[in-house]
Amino acid sequence: MFQHFDESLLNFLVLLKNNNDKTWFADHKQEYEDKVRTPTLAFIEKMDHWIRLISPHYEAIPKKIGGSMMRPYRDVRFSKDKSPYKTNVGIQFRHEIGKDVHAPGFYLHIEPDNVFLGVGTWHPEAESLRAIRDHIALKPDSYLDAIEHSPFKQHYELAGERLTRPPKGFDKEHKLIEEIKRKDFIGVCELDPSFLLEGDLCEKVARLFGRAQPFQKFLCDALKLRF
């Protein structure tokens, strides 16, 4: 039964960063399976119980392909950096109707020197982005309640990209115009890498995710999704 990650996962990611090529990865594929993918899938499987306590409409899917664990291969088509592999583990528990990483979700990022939880929606498509902005404009107090909610604010900081000017059709004098300018609606909770090695990790992650319930519910309401 999964209790926590092992330091060997972080150590493998360090080695991968220093040897990011297909030949090295092929020679160490079994190590990747044993130290990275297998424990990550075990974590996801156990998280299914906890995620559904936060919201029955979010999913933890322990599949090698098409599940909550993001693929290890980088999309290098438009990047100057042609390194073939990601040097982090990305895990997203997304809404049941979500098809990709842009759907509302709960996220865990594992990198040797960069571990954090994320909540919300990253780079939502234009229609969804407009719906969230409209909902903030219509219900500013509800949005403020969600982001100023002390359990949320204690652990999360809003992050992501934002427009320099108000989006078309919105009152530049609106009291939350700086929030309406956002292109991402995500909260980030920075963690020490040692957090991953503690017992009862799934429960601890779930408790932190749970502090973002009002924020996630606001986004789901804006997108007319069940929460």
Side-chain angles (χ1 to χ4, degrees):
M1 183 68 72
F2 182 89
Q3 288 297 319
H4 58 80
F5 287 107
D6 189 86
E7 204 162 357
S8 60
L9 182 150
L10 298 173
N11 292 339
F12 183 89
L13 294 177
V14 171
L15 290 173
L16 178 58
K17 185 175 182 178
N18 295 330
N19 301 275
N20 199 333
D21 65 73
K22 293 182 179 180
T23 301
W24 185 90
F25 191 81
D27 290 343
H28 295 80
K29 186 67 181 294
Q30 192 57 50
E31 284 183 68
Y32 169 77
E33 293 291 338
D34 295 342
K35 297 177 179 179
V36 180
R37 183 139 66 181
T38 296
T40 298
L41 293 177
F43 167 76
I44 293 168
E45 183 175 15
K46 190 169 181 180
M47 279 299 297
D48 185 61
H49 163 75
W50 293 102
I51 286 295
R52 292 182 187 280
L53 291 179
I54 298 170
S55 168
H57 303 293
Y58 284 74
E59 300 178 320
I61 305 172
K63 291 168 56 178
K64 288 187 176 182
I65 299 174
S68 298
M69 182 180 183
M70 295 183 179
R71 60 201 296 270
Y73 310 103
R74 294 182 64 248
D75 183 351
V76 299
R77 290 173 299 171
F78 309 108
S79 175
K80 291 181 180 179
D81 178 5
K82 299 302 180 182
S83 302
Y85 303 105
K86 298 173 185 174
T87 56
N88 68 274
V89 175
I91 303 165
Q92 188 191 33
F93 307 113
R94 65 180 67 120
H95 195 276
E96 61 192 0
I97 67 117
K99 303 300 182 186
D100 55 33
V101 296
H102 306 290
F106 298 93
Y107 176 73
L108 170 60
H109 183 94
I110 301 175
E111 202 169 359
D113 57 355
N114 186 25
V115 176
F116 64 87
L117 301 179
V119 295
T121 179
W122 176 76
H123 284 13
E125 52 148 25
E127 186 177 340
S128 297
L129 181 59
R130 176 75 194 205
I132 294 169
R133 287 171 170 166
D134 282 343
H135 202 55
I136 294 173
L138 185 64
K139 297 192 172 182
D141 292 338
S142 295
Y143 181 77
L144 279 176
D145 285 345
I147 64 172
E148 297 291 336
H149 179 60
S150 59
F152 177 78
K153 199 171 181 181
Q154 180 183 355
H155 294 279
Y156 289 91
E157 184 172 340
L158 293 178
E161 297 180 16
R162 160 189 335 235
L163 296 172
T164 55
R165 298 177 182 174
K168 187 176 180 180
F170 290 89
D171 180 5
K172 66 179 181 179
E173 301 299 327
H174 191 285
K175 70 176 184 177
L176 291 185
I177 193 61
E178 290 304 313
E179 294 300 313
I180 291 170
K181 285 182 186 178
R182 290 188 182 278
K183 297 166 68 177
D184 303 304
F185 291 88
I186 52 175
V188 174
C189 172
E190 302 284 351
L191 298 170
D192 189 277
S194 63
F195 179 84
L196 300 173
L197 313 179
E198 298 176 6
D200 299 321
L201 179 65
C202 292
E203 181 175 355
K204 290 173 182 174
V205 168
R207 287 184 182 280
L208 288 170
F209 281 156
R211 293 172 185 260
Q213 277 181 313
F215 181 63
Q216 290 279 39
K217 185 179 186 307
F218 183 91
L219 296 176
C220 284
D221 288 348
L223 299 171
K224 294 180 169 50
L225 301 175
R226 294 185 296 175
F227 186 83

